[in-house]
Amino acid sequence: MRLKSNIWVAAYLRRCQTEGVFGAVRRRGAEEAGAVFVKVSLLDGNAMLYAPAPQTVYDDGRPIDRFFVPVSPQPLPEHTVEERLTKEIRFDSDAWIVETEDRAGRHFLELAKM
């Protein structure tokens, strides 16, 4: 069983805060199991978007982990990221959106090895 989304988001935002990175919940999703999308604003009009990794990358021995994949290998214009988030919300109304701001693009996420 994975950590509840609301607990994971709170811990993630605390991690960002300890690293000096501003972060906030833009949209609350389902408390228990909502998918979490993380937008990292680079403060130059571009952003990175990280989406939940496919279930196939999870290891049964580490069920509490959450892995992410970048939507694009390079930063995208903010409006493109916002369009993608709008589509995701239409598809999954239980999804969370967390946004951070960091010029260096630090995300503090565990990325899936695919």
Side-chain angles (χ1 to χ4, degrees):
M1 185 166 149
R2 251 194 284 172
L3 204 56
K4 292 180 180 182
S5 295
N6 63 331
I7 295 171
W8 186 91
V9 168
Y12 176 72
L13 290 174
R14 177 61 59 116
R15 167 78 194 279
C16 291
Q17 181 182 24
T18 61
E19 297 290 340
V21 172
F22 173 77
V25 174
R26 280 195 28 205
R27 182 178 196 283
R28 292 184 68 81
E31 297 279 319
E32 303 242 345
V36 179
F37 291 84
V38 177
K39 175 184 172 186
V40 179
S41 175
L42 302 175
L43 302 172
D44 65 356
N46 294 303
M48 289 293 295
L49 179 61
Y50 297 90
Q55 291 297 314
T56 56
V57 303
Y58 286 90
D59 177 2
D60 290 337
R62 296 176 59 188
I64 63 167
D65 292 336
R66 283 189 186 251
F67 295 104
F68 291 83
V69 292
V71 169
S72 167
Q74 300 298 321
L76 298 169
E78 293 241 14
H79 67 84
T80 303
V81 171
E82 291 300 323
E83 289 169 3
R84 173 68 186 264
L85 288 171
T86 299
K87 288 178 187 176
E88 293 293 345
I89 296 304
R90 271 193 229 122
F91 177 75
D92 180 6
S93 62
D94 291 337
W96 290 71
I97 298 175
V98 177
E99 184 167 348
T100 65
E101 296 178 342
D102 186 56
R103 290 186 194 284
R106 296 176 297 162
H107 53 75
F108 314 111
L109 300 168
E110 284 194 65
L111 299 181
K113 293 171 179 54
M114 298 177 76

